[in-house]
Amino acid sequence: MTVRSVDDAGIRVTDLGRDFHRVQAVRSVTFAVAPGRRVGIVGESGSGKSTVARIIAGLDRPTRGTVHVDGQDLRSALSTARGRREYRRRVQLIAQDTTSTFDPRFTIRQSLRVPGQRLGGWTRAECDTAIEEIAEELSIDVSLLERRPAQLSGGQRQRMAIARALLVRPRYLVCDEAVSALDVSVQGAVLNLLKRYSTDHDAALLFVSHGLPATAFITDELIVMYRGEIAEAGRTTQVLGRPTDPYTRALVGAYREMESARSGA
Amino acid sequence: MAAAIAGADLDTVIPRRRTRRLSPRASLVLHCVPLGIVLVLTFIGPLLAPFDPTRVVGTSSQPPSAEWWFGTDSMGLDVFSRVVAAFALNIPMALAITVIATGLGMIIGLIAGMYESRGGPIGLVARILTRAVDLVQAIPVMIAGLVLVSFFGRNPVVIVLSLALVLVPFQARLMRTEVLKTRSDAYVDAARLAGESEAEIVFRHVLPNSSRSTIENTSAIFAMGIIFCAALGFLGVGVPVPAPEWGSMLANGATDAVVGRWWPFLFPAVALGLSVWAASVFVAGVTRSRS
Amino acid sequence: GCGSAASSEESSAFVIVTAAQPPSFSYETSATGYEAGEFWANTGATLIRNPYVEGEGDLSASQDLFGFEPLLAESYEVSEDRLTYTFHLDPDAKSVAGNTITADDVLFSIKRKFETPTSVVPFVSAPALTDPDTQVTVIDESTVSITISDPGYGFTLLSMLANQPYNIYDSTVLLEHATDDDPYAVEWSETNASYGFGAYELTDYTPGEQMVYTANPGYVLGEPEITTIVQRVVPDAGQRANLVRSGDAQIATQLRPADQVDLADSGAAQIFTVPTNAYVYIPLLTTAEPFDDPEVRRAFSMAIPYDDIIDDVYRGRLDPVGSILSEDAPGFDGEGLAAPEHDPAQAQEILEAAGYTEPVEFTLTVNSAVPDLEETAVLIQSAAADAGFDVTVDSVNSAVFQEGLAAKTFQASMGRDYAIVQSPPYVLALFYTPGSPLNWPNYETPEFSAALAEGNAVGDPLTPEAGAWWNEAQRILQTDLPTIYVGYVQPLNAFGNDVGGYVFRTDNVIDYSQLTRETE
Amino acid sequence: MTSDTRNIVLDVQNLSIHYGDAPAVTGAYLTLREGEKMAVVGESGSGKTSLANAIAGFLDPLVGSVRADRLDFRYAPLNRSIDPRRQPRIPVRTPGMSMVFQDAMHSLDPVWTIGSQLVAVLRGAERMTARAARAAAVKRLAAVGIADPGRVMRARPTELSGGMRQRVMIAIAMASHPALLIADEPTSALDATLAVSTMQLMFDLADQEGTALLMITHDIELCRRFTDTTVVMHQGRVVETIASDRLDHARDPYTRGLLACVPTLETATLAELPTLQSIAAAERTAAA
Amino acid sequence: MSVVEHTAPPAATDADEAPASAGLGAIRRHWWLLRTILLAAVNLLVFVFVSFFLVKLIPGDPVVTATGGRLTGADLEEARASYGLDGSVGEQLLSYLGSLARLDLGTSIATGRPIAEDLATRIPATLELVFTGLLAASIVALLLSHYVVTHRANRVSRVLLSYARSAGALPEYVIGIAFIYLFFAVLGWAPAPSGRLDPMLLAPPQVTGFPLFDAVIAGDTAAAASYASRLALPVIVMMVAHAPLLMKTLIINLDHAIDEPSTRFRIASGAPRRTILLSIYRRALPSVVAMLGMMFGLLLGGAVVLESLFALGGLGQYAVDAVNASDVFALRSFLLVVAAMCLAIYLIVDILTMTLDPRRRVETGKGA
Ligand SMILES: Nc1ncnc2c1ncn2[C@@H]1O[C@H](COP(=O)(O)OP(=O)(O)OP(=O)(O)O)[C@@H](O)[C@H]1O
Ligand SMILES: Nc1ncnc2c1ncn2[C@@H]1O[C@H](COP(=O)(O)OP(=O)(O)OP(=O)(O)O)[C@@H](O)[C@H]1O
Ligand SMILES: [Mg+2]
Ligand SMILES: [Mg+2]
């Protein structure tokens, strides 16, 4: 298990655990994400990926263990209103659930203004400019901003959620299945954008997904989770190239098999 | 939960025939008409009464005639005057019950749903509220109303407050269930991430998105308000005579009705039924137009 | 009709529908309510009673209030000084438990009535009987004597002994259930009814639903004709009328006058006119605004639409009250007494003369359990507005009503009541003794007290000398108007056409032992 | 294709589906023969699910309407139920046709045990005793790779992982020996290992029973590997029907673009992933 | 082929259960049940205090009423002491709790009868009425709803639907009075609304306390027939008044259940129609059962009025009498017993819904 020693900067997760009643969703997870790095988490359904993501984003409380972001403990950071605002400016999450990630009562623009006003302290006009900029980058038609979430397709909604997370230019971006609802073409476009964002702004990405090719494309390092624990971790190329854990081996094997079947055809 | 006495709108179950479909706006207007008439009667009802509804105007127990359109009751009061004048008392009472029960129920349901599983004082308050709601609901509305009204006196304010209190659990439970669902919706988390404060989350997101079934249920609360008021009158603890009020009219008229003098009973019953119907039509219209 | 039972049984059974049930079977703990009165009258018996006499004209049979005939006592005699009354008990009188009456039963019963804290008997018995230990003497097993301090109390004593408060109990049965804490078995008798010498025994009791009375074969006057009486609780008055109409019940009590008259008019049932002693009255609190002003009381008495009330609510079954004492009382002539009359114009004049420019406001409290009173109150409210009164009607439940009456907190209230014991001094003293809880108007004047004292001083209350004082006292009442008597009410019951033998009693209940089945 | 002599199981001609006034599918056609495995691919929202639902007779009559020149299933002519509004309130299954839905999380009945759900279908298909049905059920669960069928029989769906649910669904859908199995993205919630193994199980079972398969997917690798024919949908139209092993020779530009965008472990090394736009742009520059 | 050895993780629930001890495990597995029962017990305990203090507030002096307002001053105090109404509130509460602990509900002030005895005769009679009404309403609602749901386009079901939509528009006493007038007074079809049993018949010996049941046990056909025929009209009234509410709930929930993907999959996988219906009903019923629980309260309240209308003299009249007599002892014990009954019904409803739908157990488990 590779626990990279880092100084204060970055996200450091130590012995993290989360129980739901009798279910240990996350048993014990320790890893770190250095600033500007892109780390992927893969693993089968129910292995605790989303739970880890939500804890780091400050939406769920750990049962055990600690999370430090830039040296500050997550718990103390979230205990005051100011601390919370500061934390959210730094860490953003793109959630797995695309159907209800926007309040159905507001138009997309209304929802997108909120982070700008609350976290960025911008005026309405400043918000609108920023929103339109980002929409352009994500190739979102500006007219869609005036719609309500129910009037959008799943893929469009997911792109809006990405826009909302990127709006305040967070230093740490947690993406939980951010591209799963998109078809391959749109998926490619979004992945390109996220990668560019990370390099341009020296932002760290924590990329949770069960799609290996996408993860392989975007990440430098890879964590494989299995039943609430880290089964394997390391540089992405290394993990995918020479997997040691049986689960990882099977996962990679399945892809390799398919691809070889194709090139064989 | 099944606290949804009214629950969802039955119109979704069977689509109206498509051939005669109105535009949504026209249909909303149409749904407002009955309640509109009821509200107009609330204001002008007493003016429509040809006689003073509290004064003896003639011989008692006269059947409907040209002079007394709905006949006279056992005291010689004019039934028509009383039925229309009673709008001014019954409807505001039912509305007040509805507003108080729904308002309190929403607040309690909101607090309970949001904070029940939290620690600290707010969690404690939420759990106490939940328990209180359970306790109030352990006594049937009718019996609780009977006891409360006999405690505190038979005046409209007491009746309204007592009935509102015992109807709160119906709304609070509905609200709580919805809040429990809503608070785990992804947009609540998204709002947190966007830096909204707890109060903003509760009032901008959770409350509006959880209130649908509670609002739909207001027509049932309204109906129960009117009916329980009347039932209290029936048991002899309602608004005292001779104030024009359907419940006491029904109570007095019941004794006449079983021996065949139907008019002091039938007309207030019809007024009551129509008002309940008007309210449910209105709420159905509003909820349908919102969805 | 129902007719599903054997016809032999049916012929000797009657169904009576009532509004409620007696709350308790013990007179000493709970002495209120029409149904309770009927229970005691039929399961209990007194030493003597007022004889039943045929009615004259269209009047039903009723009691001779001024004569007494033996019941449990075979005979009684009065001493020379008219201070000692000796009763010889009938050896044939048997309780429902089969025990023959003894002198000990009498002493035990009277002591029980005086020594139970919640008993009202001491209050209503004063001053004739105040201390059973000294006044009641057991002479032998079947002889008992009662001594009084003033011969003037004699008639009142006999009247009381002839009525429910002095029912005699079977001490053998009660003593079986007595405990150290409860030497008179009061607690046991609250829920157990079989300790009386009456014509009937309560043989089946379903709380809130029905009571079944079965004839007592050992009753002193012999087993009654109707051997089974089923008393059903039917809370709604209209429903009760319906049941008599359909033949499902033979007798209905506590009807609304309108339904009663409808029944009679359609020939579905009989109703009776009686020399009634029950009146609807309005006590006006004379110690508080606005009725501390006698002029206001006078004006209000003129604001009441007596005729409309008689016609609309009571359908003629209400008569104006000239005198609250029975005009049949020997020595009493009711001279100079007149019923109040409706005169709104004069009422207004009186108020103006007394300096009232605004309508006089007050609250009229009525007992919500009595529907005809609620209706009457509405009529009064409506008419009084024309005479310069602004009346608020407040109808409250029996408990609140009783408490308010006793505490004298109602400005004006309206009730229906009667004095069971029809002795003039008793009736007058019952409602107007200063400080008494039954003196609802809180009325006290030296003139009235003096008239009462003078009347008592005469000795025999039924002499013309005494009668003159009773007249005087009532004239004072009619001038001062502490209470407005709205009218004498006829009994609100109805009888199926096959029922005979109704006798009107001052306690207003039905004596089942007199009932007969008439074949058409 | 012309030489195919197997019986036609399903024949759909010129089928259109509207939600309200908005068309979801326009003029779709497809023909499926006995034992044939067919995949439907296409962009999100192109009407794949709607098409499958219409064929199986599950379109929501409150929102959708269907028209078709021909919608025949060999074992039961389907035209009777083409208008969803005429359908009985509780839809009636077309005999011989089973369907596995996209949403494994919600499609199993949450209040009944897996065993009872499977046994009900088994006993509905054949007369057998409860005991025999249970034994058969355990066998079928084992056949779809459930390691602990005894426990799973007693479990409720919430107690199972997504992969297990997907397999259970397949076991149940195959229990009635259908002539045609429609599967709507049966592996979308699964990671690659599970997807492949689940798919394999389904196809093995279908082969054993001679069942024709209509599978909707967005995983082109899977359809290339497992199916005979691929139908490509775009904006509500069937743009191309092609033998799966000839996908690389597709002629329709949309199909070709789609294929080019498929990410693989190899593409991970690229600086930018290809998208339809970038491919189009590249083609434009190449043409220019 | 690559089926990895651990693709299928065992259900998290069992896997993570600490094998502490068999007993503890059983408690854990049935925690939802225990918790529900404990909660109901706690509620009842709290209600003991609530009923005591609630009733303390009643205006009107019970002793004055009981003595007909004829006692004053010291006499009244003495009478009050004889009822145990003289001590401080604390003392009174203690004696109340003490007697409750001995399962003694006290003695009525107004009647002097043991309250437990009074309630014991009245409760079964009222419950018989309420349960029969509830049963009739449920059966009718079930049949009609099933028809509506399965025949949604036809005219009959439109009529039935308007009936369901009318839920609550007319209170049961209005219907009751109309029916009495029509069926008893005018048509003469119904027996007299004068009680549970023909007055000329003797009540069968009390075994269960449920009159009709007792008559059947005693083999008294005449009494049983009389009970049944006199129960019919009030039960029909309850049915007519309350079936729409149930229908409405049932129709909506059935409709949801039909549209659920699990129903679709049941159908799509070829389950027999009987199984499909069973599965739909099992998913629709929990809400309906919960509604039935709430309707128990409504019907109990409605019985207060219906009993007075049909002269059935059950629990309702007892409450009205106790209130009118300011009978504090009777009233607080009455309230306590009613609350206990309702809480018991809610408990049964909770357990039933949780049994029907295991998902609901988890939800309650989250609560505290
Ligand atoms: N709020 C919750 N309450 C109870 N159990 C939960 C909750 N959230 C997650 N779990 C459980 O925790 C475990 C891990 O869930 P998580 O969502 O983190 O998995 P995941 O790796 O993201 O899976 P997927 O790939 O399906 O998104 C699962 O067994 C899940 O059932
Ligand atoms: N109930 C509905 N009401 C209105 N429009 C709908 C409804 N269901 C689907 N649509 C629309 O119909 C079109 C086709 O939807 P469908 O679900 O068939 O797509 P799909 O190809 O299965 O997509 P995906 O790959 O995302 O599952 C979409 O544009 C969608 O927005
Ligand atoms: Mg996840
Ligand atoms: Mg789809």
Side-chain angles (χ1 to χ4, degrees), chain B residues 45-241:
Chain B
L47 306 177
L48 288 181
F51 299 99
D52 182 340
T54 62
R55 296 289 295 271
V56 174
V57 297
T59 323
S60 57
S61 301
Q62 294 302 302
S65 66
E67 188 176 5
W68 304 297
W69 299 341
F70 289 177
T72 61
D73 69 5
S74 61
M75 293 165 250
L77 306 174
D78 179 46
V79 176
F80 176 77
S81 302
R82 288 171 66 70
V83 167
V84 290
F87 276 97
L89 185 60
N90 281 83
I91 300 299
M93 275 174 78
L95 284 178
I97 290 173
T98 314
V99 168
I100 297 174
T102 306
L104 267 182
M106 278 179 142
I107 293 170
I108 292 177
L110 193 63
I111 296 175
M114 282 302 287
Y115 304 114
E116 218 174 43
S117 46
R118 286 255 183 106
I122 183 94
L124 192 69
V125 168
R127 282 191 293 277
I128 288 176
L129 284 176
T130 313
R131 188 62 17 88
V133 161
D134 278 356
L135 283 179
V136 173
Q137 201 155 40
I139 291 289
V141 176
M142 196 57 243
I143 291 170
L146 173 72
V147 172
L148 286 177
V149 172
S150 11
F151 281 0
F152 298 112
R154 303 167 51 174
N155 64 64
V157 175
V158 170
I159 293 176
V160 163
L161 290 180
S162 307
L163 286 179
L165 179 75
V166 292
L167 289 174
V168 162
F170 288 81
Q171 298 291 59
R173 278 178 163 241
L174 265 185
M175 188 72 188
R176 176 173 163 269
T177 321
E178 289 297 308
V179 169
L180 281 176
K181 237 180 272 169
T182 309
R183 74 166 186 185
S184 56
D185 271 352
Y187 56 81
V188 175
D189 282 341
R192 281 211 175 91
L193 284 173
E196 290 188 56
S197 70
E198 196 62 28
E200 277 178 304
I201 287 171
V202 169
F203 291 108
R204 283 190 67 212
H205 301 289
V206 180
L207 179 65
N209 284 302
S210 309
S211 48
R212 185 194 156 112
S213 53
T214 318
I215 287 174
E216 272 172 5
N217 200 36
T218 51
S219 66
I221 297 289
F222 182 85
M224 289 202 269
I226 287 194
I227 285 169
F228 286 131
C229 274
L232 287 178
F234 200 87
L235 293 177
V237 294
V239 178
V241 284

Side-chain angles (χ1 to χ4, degrees), chain A residues 152-154 181 183, chain D residues 17-20 22-25 40-53 59-60 63-64 102 184-185 216-218 233 236:
Chain A
L152 297 179
S153 81
D183 65 54
Chain D
I17 301 167
H18 288 252
Y19 289 111
V25 175
V40 181
V41 299
E43 76 175 329
S44 170
S46 59
K48 307 183 291 290
T49 301
S50 308
L51 178 67
N53 279 337
L59 210 70
D60 188 350
V63 287
Q102 182 166 3
D184 188 359
E185 306 205 15
I216 297 166
T217 183
H218 54 237
M233 290 191 68

Side-chain angles (χ1 to χ4, degrees), chain A residues 40-42 207-220 222 236:
Chain A
I41 303 183
V42 295
F207 191 85
V208 178
S209 172
H210 62 233
L212 266 197
T215 316
F217 166 70
I218 205 164
T219 62
D220 315 319
L222 189 62
T236 306

Side-chain angles (χ1 to χ4, degrees), chain C residues 344-409:
Chain C
Q346 203 190 337
Q348 226 156 5
E349 270 171 37
I350 294 173
L351 284 182
E352 270 162 34
Y356 292 90
T357 47
E358 297 284 304
V360 179
E361 291 179 21
F362 70 94
T363 302
L364 175 64
T365 309
V366 295
N367 185 342
S368 60
V370 190
D372 46 290
L373 291 187
E374 226 169 10
E375 292 175 5
T376 306
V378 171
L379 255 64
I380 292 176
Q381 179 190 43
S382 186
D386 297 331
F389 286 94
D390 182 356
V391 186
T392 307
V393 175
D394 186 14
S395 64
V396 298
N397 69 44
S398 308
V400 176
F401 188 74
Q402 298 289 0
E403 192 193 7
L405 273 184
K408 294 169 190 158
T409 52

Side-chain angles (χ1 to χ4, degrees), chain C residues 148-475:
Chain C
I148 48 178
S149 58
D150 185 331
Y153 300 151
F155 174 71
T156 309
L157 175 74
L158 290 177
S159 292
M160 287 189 310
L161 290 177
N163 276 295
Q164 285 172 25
Y166 280 90
N167 273 354
I168 305 302
Y169 310 135
D170 183 343
S171 62
T172 321
V173 173
L174 288 177
L175 283 171
E176 273 170 31
H177 299 94
T179 62
D180 288 347
D181 288 344
D182 184 17
Y184 296 101
V186 174
E187 204 172 301
W188 177 82
S189 59
E190 283 183 81
T191 52
N192 292 275
S194 300
Y195 58 90
F197 287 92
Y200 288 88
E201 178 182 8
L202 181 69
T203 47
D204 184 60
Y205 173 55
T206 316
E209 286 180 51
Q210 74 171 15
M211 316 217 304
V212 178
Y213 292 97
T214 308
N216 172 13
Y219 181 51
V220 62
L221 299 181
E223 187 174 5
E225 176 180 334
I226 305 297
T227 50
T228 307
I229 301 277
V230 179
Q231 200 188 68
R232 269 284 158 96
V233 178
V234 176
D236 185 82
Q239 209 75 275
R240 291 196 291 276
N242 262 351
L243 291 168
V244 172
R245 184 188 301 273
S246 68
D248 287 292
Q250 279 67 45
I251 303 173
T253 61
Q254 311 271 61
L255 297 176
R256 297 201 306 179
D259 298 339
Q260 218 188 358
V261 171
D262 273 0
L263 278 176
D265 288 352
S266 65
Q270 339 166 40
I271 58 176
F272 296 105
T273 308
V274 306
T276 179
N277 66 334
Y279 31 63
V280 173
Y281 58 84
I282 304 178
L284 305 170
L285 191 58
T286 56
T287 47
E289 291 259 309
F291 294 115
D292 53 352
D293 183 344
E295 291 302 291
V296 178
R297 302 203 290 266
R298 212 151 68 83
F300 182 51
S301 82
M302 293 175 178
I304 296 173
Y306 301 97
D307 293 338
D308 289 348
I309 294 173
I310 291 172
D311 291 344
D312 272 358
V313 179
Y314 289 95
R315 302 297 160 107
R317 296 186 57 78
L318 188 85
D319 299 305
V321 181
S323 159
I324 60 168
L325 301 179
S326 166
E327 301 193 16
D328 298 339
F332 174 75
D333 56 9
E335 194 207 307
L337 300 178
E341 294 204 5
H342 181 45
D343 190 346
Q346 203 190 337
Q348 226 156 5
E349 270 171 37
I350 294 173
L351 284 182
E352 270 162 34
Y356 292 90
T357 47
E358 297 284 304
V360 179
E361 291 179 21
F362 70 94
T363 302
L364 175 64
T365 309
V366 295
N367 185 342
S368 60
V370 190
D372 46 290
L373 291 187
E374 226 169 10
E375 292 175 5
T376 306
V378 171
L379 255 64
I380 292 176
Q381 179 190 43
S382 186
D386 297 331
F389 286 94
D390 182 356
V391 186
T392 307
V393 175
D394 186 14
S395 64
V396 298
N397 69 44
S398 308
V400 176
F401 188 74
Q402 298 289 0
E403 192 193 7
L405 273 184
K408 294 169 190 158
T409 52
F410 300 142
Q411 288 173 304
S413 57
M414 181 155 58
R416 192 168 72 205
D417 215 331
Y418 39 83
I420 295 179
V421 178
Q422 281 290 324
S423 156
Y426 178 92
V427 176
L428 290 171
L430 184 65
F431 294 114
Y432 295 107
T433 304
S436 139
L438 296 193
N439 183 351
W440 298 312
N442 215 4
Y443 174 68
E444 180 173 4
T445 59
E447 293 85 355
F448 179 79
S449 304
L452 210 55
E454 295 280 1
N456 276 327
V458 170
D460 185 350
L462 303 182
T463 54
E465 300 85 53
W469 287 112
W470 309 145
N471 257 4
E472 170 64 17
Q474 279 207 72
R475 268 197 301 275

